Amino acid sequence: MRTLETERLILRDWKETDLNDIFICLSNPRVTIPEGSSPCESIEDCKCVLDYLILVKNNYAIELKENASVIGGIGLNEDTKGNPNARNLGFYLAEEYWNKGIMTEALITVIANAKEVTEVLSATHNNNPKTEHILTKLGFKQVDVIKNVKRKVDVEYHDEPYYILEL
Ligand SMILES: CC(C)(COP(=O)(O)OP(=O)(O)OC[C@H]1O[C@@H](n2cnc3c(N)ncnc32)[C@H](O)[C@@H]1OP(=O)(O)O)[C@@H](O)C(=O)NCCC(=O)NCCS
């Protein structure tokens, strides 16, 4: 991915040296469960995730300029239905950085630079009003509700609101 810059952040490809930083973020279930994945239980688990992020090349690491730490990530993943012009958006941030406007700042720049894409899709986990607020603020429209979703991390079936941003 092309490296992007915002006032507080550098958005760039993942690197092997990001392992310790990303482990702090992805070992926290409050970060991973709403994203639909289990927390990393060990640094070795996390290395597998990081190896994948480096390989797929469609995920940004979010680096905070202030201390050069990686504090989260944004994925523009391939559309599961095969639309080459659509991306599935996923995003997460280490908990100590929540509610400082960081993800909004990062997403505005990532979306503005998603030049090859005409649609960005995002399903939010059950009861994630904060994420729905961010998506709505960025101009996403809720177009559907996916019924009876149960991912590996979920205890119960639930419905997921589905949002689209047309670029
Ligand atoms: C979702 C997440 C990335 C947000 O990051 P963040 O940097 O804290 O987000 P921001 O500070 O940019 O924006 C938060 C917005 O939500 C609002 N908000 C906070 N809590 C809220 C709530 N319970 N209900 C509704 N809105 C809420 C804030 O007021 C802010 O909006 P504003 O800028 O209009 O005031 C972060 O909380 C996270 O990693 N959560 C776990 C993973 C996740 O849910 N990922 C999304 C699934 S794809």
Side-chain angles (χ1 to χ4, degrees), residues 30-31 34-35 90-93 97-104 128-131 133-134 137:
R30 285 184 295 277
V31 173
E35 256 257 305
F91 47 91
Y92 48 91
L93 199 66
Y97 296 99
W98 287 4
N99 292 323
K100 300 176 193 296
I102 288 179
M103 191 52 75
T104 304
N128 196 340
K130 184 175 171 181
T131 294
H133 174 81
I134 294 171
K137 197 168 63 169

Short mmCIF file of all heavy atoms in Angstrom, two decimals, residues 30-31 34-35 90-93 97-104 128-131 133-134 137, ligand 1:
data_model
loop_
_atom_site.label_atom_id
_atom_site.label_comp_id
_atom_site.label_asym_id
_atom_site.label_seq_id
_atom_site.Cartn_x
_atom_site.Cartn_y
_atom_site.Cartn_z
N ARG A 30 -11.57 -6.93 23.99
CA ARG A 30 -12.46 -5.78 23.72
C ARG A 30 -12.14 -5.15 22.36
O ARG A 30 -12.97 -4.45 21.79
CB ARG A 30 -12.35 -4.74 24.85
CG ARG A 30 -13.06 -5.19 26.12
CD ARG A 30 -13.02 -4.11 27.19
NE ARG A 30 -11.66 -3.85 27.64
CZ ARG A 30 -11.02 -4.58 28.56
NH1 ARG A 30 -11.64 -5.58 29.14
NH2 ARG A 30 -9.79 -4.29 28.91
N VAL A 31 -10.94 -5.41 21.86
CA VAL A 31 -10.59 -4.94 20.52
C VAL A 31 -10.99 -5.98 19.46
O VAL A 31 -11.58 -5.64 18.43
CB VAL A 31 -9.06 -4.64 20.41
CG1 VAL A 31 -8.67 -4.33 18.98
CG2 VAL A 31 -8.69 -3.50 21.35
N PRO A 34 -15.34 -7.42 18.84
CA PRO A 34 -16.23 -6.65 17.96
C PRO A 34 -15.83 -6.74 16.49
O PRO A 34 -16.64 -6.52 15.60
CB PRO A 34 -16.08 -5.20 18.45
CG PRO A 34 -15.48 -5.29 19.80
CD PRO A 34 -14.68 -6.55 19.84
N GLU A 35 -14.58 -7.07 16.24
CA GLU A 35 -14.09 -7.23 14.87
C GLU A 35 -14.39 -8.64 14.36
O GLU A 35 -14.15 -8.94 13.18
CB GLU A 35 -12.56 -7.06 14.89
CG GLU A 35 -12.08 -5.74 14.38
CD GLU A 35 -11.54 -5.92 12.99
OE1 GLU A 35 -10.64 -6.76 12.82
OE2 GLU A 35 -12.05 -5.24 12.10
N GLY A 90 -12.34 -3.08 7.63
CA GLY A 90 -12.25 -3.48 9.04
C GLY A 90 -11.26 -2.56 9.72
O GLY A 90 -10.30 -2.10 9.09
N PHE A 91 -11.48 -2.27 11.01
CA PHE A 91 -10.55 -1.36 11.69
C PHE A 91 -10.57 -1.60 13.19
O PHE A 91 -11.56 -2.03 13.76
CB PHE A 91 -10.87 0.10 11.35
CG PHE A 91 -12.32 0.50 11.46
CD1 PHE A 91 -12.83 1.01 12.63
CD2 PHE A 91 -13.19 0.36 10.38
CE1 PHE A 91 -14.16 1.39 12.74
CE2 PHE A 91 -14.52 0.74 10.45
CZ PHE A 91 -15.00 1.26 11.65
N TYR A 92 -9.43 -1.35 13.80
CA TYR A 92 -9.28 -1.59 15.24
C TYR A 92 -8.13 -0.75 15.76
O TYR A 92 -7.19 -0.44 15.03
CB TYR A 92 -9.02 -3.09 15.52
CG TYR A 92 -7.94 -3.66 14.64
CD1 TYR A 92 -6.62 -3.65 15.05
CD2 TYR A 92 -8.24 -4.15 13.37
CE1 TYR A 92 -5.61 -4.13 14.22
CE2 TYR A 92 -7.25 -4.62 12.54
CZ TYR A 92 -5.93 -4.60 12.96
OH TYR A 92 -4.95 -5.06 12.13
N LEU A 93 -8.26 -0.42 17.04
CA LEU A 93 -7.27 0.46 17.67
C LEU A 93 -7.02 -0.03 19.10
O LEU A 93 -7.97 -0.48 19.77
CB LEU A 93 -7.89 1.88 17.73
CG LEU A 93 -6.98 3.06 17.91
CD1 LEU A 93 -6.07 3.22 16.68
CD2 LEU A 93 -7.82 4.32 18.08
N TYR A 97 -6.02 4.19 23.23
CA TYR A 97 -6.11 5.33 22.30
C TYR A 97 -7.55 5.61 21.84
O TYR A 97 -7.75 6.45 20.96
CB TYR A 97 -5.20 5.08 21.09
CG TYR A 97 -3.74 5.01 21.48
CD1 TYR A 97 -3.11 3.79 21.66
CD2 TYR A 97 -3.01 6.17 21.70
CE1 TYR A 97 -1.77 3.72 22.03
CE2 TYR A 97 -1.68 6.12 22.08
CZ TYR A 97 -1.06 4.89 22.24
OH TYR A 97 0.25 4.84 22.61
N TRP A 98 -8.51 4.91 22.41
CA TRP A 98 -9.89 5.12 21.97
C TRP A 98 -10.39 6.54 22.32
O TRP A 98 -9.95 7.14 23.29
CB TRP A 98 -10.81 4.10 22.65
CG TRP A 98 -10.69 2.69 22.14
CD1 TRP A 98 -9.81 2.21 21.21
CD2 TRP A 98 -11.47 1.56 22.58
NE1 TRP A 98 -10.00 0.86 21.04
CE2 TRP A 98 -11.01 0.43 21.85
CE3 TRP A 98 -12.50 1.39 23.50
CZ2 TRP A 98 -11.56 -0.85 22.04
CZ3 TRP A 98 -13.04 0.12 23.69
CH2 TRP A 98 -12.58 -0.97 22.97
N ASN A 99 -11.36 6.96 21.51
CA ASN A 99 -12.09 8.23 21.76
C ASN A 99 -11.22 9.48 21.74
O ASN A 99 -11.45 10.43 22.47
CB ASN A 99 -12.88 8.15 23.07
CG ASN A 99 -14.01 7.14 22.94
OD1 ASN A 99 -14.62 7.04 21.89
ND2 ASN A 99 -14.28 6.38 24.00
N LYS A 100 -10.20 9.46 20.90
CA LYS A 100 -9.37 10.66 20.68
C LYS A 100 -9.47 11.10 19.22
O LYS A 100 -8.66 11.88 18.74
CB LYS A 100 -7.90 10.38 21.02
CG LYS A 100 -7.65 9.95 22.47
CD LYS A 100 -6.18 9.61 22.66
CE LYS A 100 -5.90 8.88 23.96
NZ LYS A 100 -6.16 9.63 25.17
N GLY A 101 -10.41 10.51 18.48
CA GLY A 101 -10.59 10.90 17.07
C GLY A 101 -9.58 10.25 16.13
O GLY A 101 -9.51 10.61 14.95
N ILE A 102 -8.81 9.31 16.64
CA ILE A 102 -7.71 8.74 15.82
C ILE A 102 -8.26 7.92 14.65
O ILE A 102 -7.81 8.06 13.51
CB ILE A 102 -6.75 7.91 16.71
CG1 ILE A 102 -5.96 8.87 17.59
CG2 ILE A 102 -5.82 7.04 15.86
CD1 ILE A 102 -4.99 8.22 18.54
N MET A 103 -9.24 7.07 14.93
CA MET A 103 -9.72 6.23 13.82
C MET A 103 -10.45 7.06 12.77
O MET A 103 -10.30 6.82 11.57
CB MET A 103 -10.64 5.10 14.35
CG MET A 103 -10.95 4.06 13.31
SD MET A 103 -9.49 3.37 12.45
CE MET A 103 -8.80 2.29 13.69
N THR A 104 -11.20 8.05 13.21
CA THR A 104 -11.86 8.93 12.23
C THR A 104 -10.81 9.58 11.34
O THR A 104 -10.94 9.60 10.10
CB THR A 104 -12.70 10.01 12.97
OG1 THR A 104 -13.62 9.34 13.83
CG2 THR A 104 -13.44 10.90 12.00
N ASN A 128 -22.75 -2.36 18.20
CA ASN A 128 -21.50 -1.61 18.13
C ASN A 128 -21.82 -0.17 17.72
O ASN A 128 -21.50 0.27 16.62
CB ASN A 128 -20.53 -2.28 17.14
CG ASN A 128 -19.11 -1.80 17.30
OD1 ASN A 128 -18.86 -0.73 17.86
ND2 ASN A 128 -18.16 -2.59 16.82
N PRO A 129 -22.55 0.56 18.64
CA PRO A 129 -23.04 1.89 18.26
C PRO A 129 -21.92 2.85 17.90
O PRO A 129 -22.11 3.74 17.08
CB PRO A 129 -23.80 2.36 19.51
CG PRO A 129 -23.36 1.49 20.62
CD PRO A 129 -22.92 0.19 20.01
N LYS A 130 -20.75 2.66 18.51
CA LYS A 130 -19.64 3.58 18.23
C LYS A 130 -19.20 3.43 16.77
O LYS A 130 -19.01 4.42 16.06
CB LYS A 130 -18.49 3.23 19.18
CG LYS A 130 -17.32 4.13 19.08
CD LYS A 130 -16.32 3.74 20.15
CE LYS A 130 -15.02 4.46 19.99
NZ LYS A 130 -14.05 4.05 21.02
N THR A 131 -19.07 2.19 16.33
CA THR A 131 -18.66 1.96 14.94
C THR A 131 -19.73 2.46 13.98
O THR A 131 -19.42 3.07 12.95
CB THR A 131 -18.36 0.47 14.72
OG1 THR A 131 -17.22 0.15 15.50
CG2 THR A 131 -18.08 0.15 13.28
N HIS A 133 -21.72 4.87 14.50
CA HIS A 133 -21.62 6.33 14.51
C HIS A 133 -20.49 6.79 13.58
O HIS A 133 -20.67 7.72 12.78
CB HIS A 133 -21.35 6.81 15.95
CG HIS A 133 -21.09 8.28 16.05
ND1 HIS A 133 -22.10 9.21 16.06
CD2 HIS A 133 -19.93 8.98 16.11
CE1 HIS A 133 -21.56 10.42 16.14
NE2 HIS A 133 -20.25 10.30 16.16
N ILE A 134 -19.34 6.12 13.65
CA ILE A 134 -18.20 6.52 12.81
C ILE A 134 -18.55 6.33 11.33
O ILE A 134 -18.31 7.20 10.50
CB ILE A 134 -16.94 5.70 13.18
CG1 ILE A 134 -16.48 6.05 14.59
CG2 ILE A 134 -15.82 5.93 12.17
CD1 ILE A 134 -15.38 5.15 15.14
N LYS A 137 -20.94 8.94 10.16
CA LYS A 137 -20.25 10.24 10.07
C LYS A 137 -19.42 10.34 8.78
O LYS A 137 -19.29 11.41 8.19
CB LYS A 137 -19.34 10.37 11.30
CG LYS A 137 -18.86 11.75 11.58
CD LYS A 137 -18.21 11.85 12.95
CE LYS A 137 -16.97 10.99 13.07
NZ LYS A 137 -16.19 11.28 14.29
C1 LIG B 1 -14.11 1.31 16.81
C2 LIG B 1 -12.76 1.94 17.13
C3 LIG B 1 -11.75 1.61 16.05
C4 LIG B 1 -12.96 3.46 17.19
O1 LIG B 1 -11.71 4.12 17.29
P1 LIG B 1 -11.60 5.58 17.95
O2 LIG B 1 -10.30 6.16 17.55
O3 LIG B 1 -11.92 5.45 19.39
O4 LIG B 1 -12.79 6.36 17.20
P2 LIG B 1 -12.92 7.94 17.10
O5 LIG B 1 -12.40 8.55 18.38
O6 LIG B 1 -12.34 8.41 15.82
O7 LIG B 1 -14.49 8.14 16.94
C5 LIG B 1 -15.35 7.69 17.96
C6 LIG B 1 -16.71 8.35 17.75
O8 LIG B 1 -17.71 7.52 18.35
C7 LIG B 1 -18.40 8.28 19.34
N1 LIG B 1 -18.76 7.32 20.38
C8 LIG B 1 -18.00 6.86 21.40
N2 LIG B 1 -18.70 5.94 22.11
C9 LIG B 1 -19.93 5.83 21.51
C10 LIG B 1 -21.08 5.06 21.76
N3 LIG B 1 -21.14 4.19 22.78
N4 LIG B 1 -22.14 5.19 20.93
C11 LIG B 1 -22.11 6.04 19.87
N5 LIG B 1 -21.03 6.81 19.59
C12 LIG B 1 -19.95 6.71 20.40
C13 LIG B 1 -17.44 9.37 19.76
O9 LIG B 1 -18.12 10.47 20.31
C14 LIG B 1 -16.80 9.71 18.42
O10 LIG B 1 -17.66 10.45 17.62
P3 LIG B 1 -17.45 12.04 17.38
O11 LIG B 1 -16.06 12.21 16.82
O12 LIG B 1 -18.52 12.39 16.38
O13 LIG B 1 -17.61 12.68 18.70
C15 LIG B 1 -12.21 1.42 18.49
O14 LIG B 1 -13.14 1.70 19.50
C16 LIG B 1 -11.95 -0.08 18.45
O15 LIG B 1 -10.88 -0.52 18.08
N6 LIG B 1 -12.99 -0.88 18.85
C17 LIG B 1 -12.88 -2.34 18.82
C18 LIG B 1 -12.85 -2.88 17.39
C19 LIG B 1 -14.07 -2.47 16.56
O16 LIG B 1 -15.17 -2.31 17.07
N7 LIG B 1 -13.83 -2.31 15.26
C20 LIG B 1 -14.87 -1.94 14.32
C21 LIG B 1 -15.47 -3.15 13.70
S1 LIG B 1 -15.08 -3.19 11.99
#
